[in-house]
Amino acid sequence: MKQTAIFVALLLHSTVGFAAGASAPNAFEPPSKDYLLQFSKLGEKVFVYERYDAKGALYRRDVTALKMPVKVQSATERVINGATYRLRGLTACPKPKITYKTEEWDCTKAAQDYEEGIYNHRASVVLCKTLVLQSKKDEPDAVSCFSLVGAGDANDPYTVAYDDDEMVFFDMAAIGNKDGKSLRPDLGHSGELGEQFQK
């Protein structure tokens, strides 16, 4: 019952967040399901990587097939098509043990179970976006990642899964701070909402 409440709360929280949806590329807002649907290809999983400049304007977009399963290295690291990315402004697993599926889990294993299920079994389009214009060797780009999930019918409508938000909500990642300021103020509400399920 507690697990059901967690998923319902997350779904409601996500629905509110995506209701307005972005109809154009936006560096700082979650994409709408319609935005992700434009990249969807029948029978193929797609990876979209968008780079934005400091003003939030789209600088470059790469659209490729998702050639292999996404690997969740930690609560904040993803390996997509062989390249490693790190969720922006988040710190992995502030607590080694968390409540997940109504039981105590190792935080990293819980993150792997949850996110690999979304990326590899539910998602048809994966979008990651970054403010990094040029990748540096051996340094993962800082990203935010989203997945188009669902079959698009009445029983399983399309929704957008927001990786960063989910990690904070489930207490699998903490929001980082610099000079006493939150690196992800946009995710503060998710952390507050999720806290009640960790007690």
Side-chain angles (χ1 to χ4, degrees):
M1 184 70 177
K2 185 177 179 182
Q3 190 66 20
T4 302
I6 290 174
F7 286 113
V8 168
L10 183 59
L11 179 61
L12 289 173
H13 172 68
S14 297
T15 302
V16 170
F18 298 124
S23 59
N26 187 303
F28 306 107
E29 295 292 328
S32 67
K33 65 179 190 295
D34 292 329
Y35 184 77
L36 293 180
L37 271 169
Q38 69 182 311
F39 305 110
S40 181
K41 294 183 180 179
L42 188 62
E44 185 177 330
K45 293 171 78 78
V46 177
F47 176 51
V48 182
Y49 194 52
E50 294 181 339
R51 295 181 188 271
Y52 290 83
D53 64 23
K55 295 179 180 178
L58 182 64
Y59 173 78
R60 176 179 171 178
R61 176 191 292 131
D62 295 308
V63 182
T64 58
L66 196 54
K67 301 170 186 174
M68 59 188 78
V70 173
K71 186 173 183 182
V72 176
Q73 297 273 71
S74 73
T76 56
E77 284 196 354
R78 310 289 177 258
V79 179
I80 304 174
N81 282 348
T84 302
Y85 302 93
R86 180 173 290 122
L87 298 183
R88 177 175 62 90
L90 300 181
T91 302
C93 292
K95 293 182 278 189
K97 300 287 184 182
I98 62 168
T99 300
Y100 175 67
K101 293 184 176 180
T102 71
E103 299 175 348
E104 185 177 80
W105 278 60
D106 173 84
C107 177
T108 299
K109 289 181 179 177
Q112 291 168 335
D113 180 78
Y114 187 82
E115 288 300 338
E116 287 181 359
I118 289 177
Y119 283 117
N120 301 325
H121 301 292
R122 298 273 294 143
S124 55
V125 176
V126 173
L127 165 68
C128 293
K129 48 189 181 179
T130 184
L131 296 173
V132 177
L133 298 186
Q134 183 66 47
S135 300
K136 296 179 182 178
K137 187 178 180 181
D138 300 325
E139 185 177 320
D141 288 352
V143 300
S144 286
C145 293
F146 312 85
S147 299
L148 179 68
V149 299
D153 57 34
N155 294 323
D156 189 16
Y158 288 122
T159 57
V160 179
Y162 185 1
D163 194 345
D164 310 41
D165 185 270
E166 292 157 356
M167 291 298 94
V168 172
F169 178 86
F170 284 117
D171 204 27
M172 296 172 184
I175 298 171
N177 289 277
K178 184 176 182 181
D179 301 326
K181 295 181 180 179
S182 171
L183 294 176
R184 295 298 304 271
D186 56 312
L187 300 179
H189 180 64
S190 297
E192 293 169 4
L193 190 62
E195 280 178 4
Q196 60 186 306
F197 300 108
Q198 290 299 322
K199 294 176 180 177

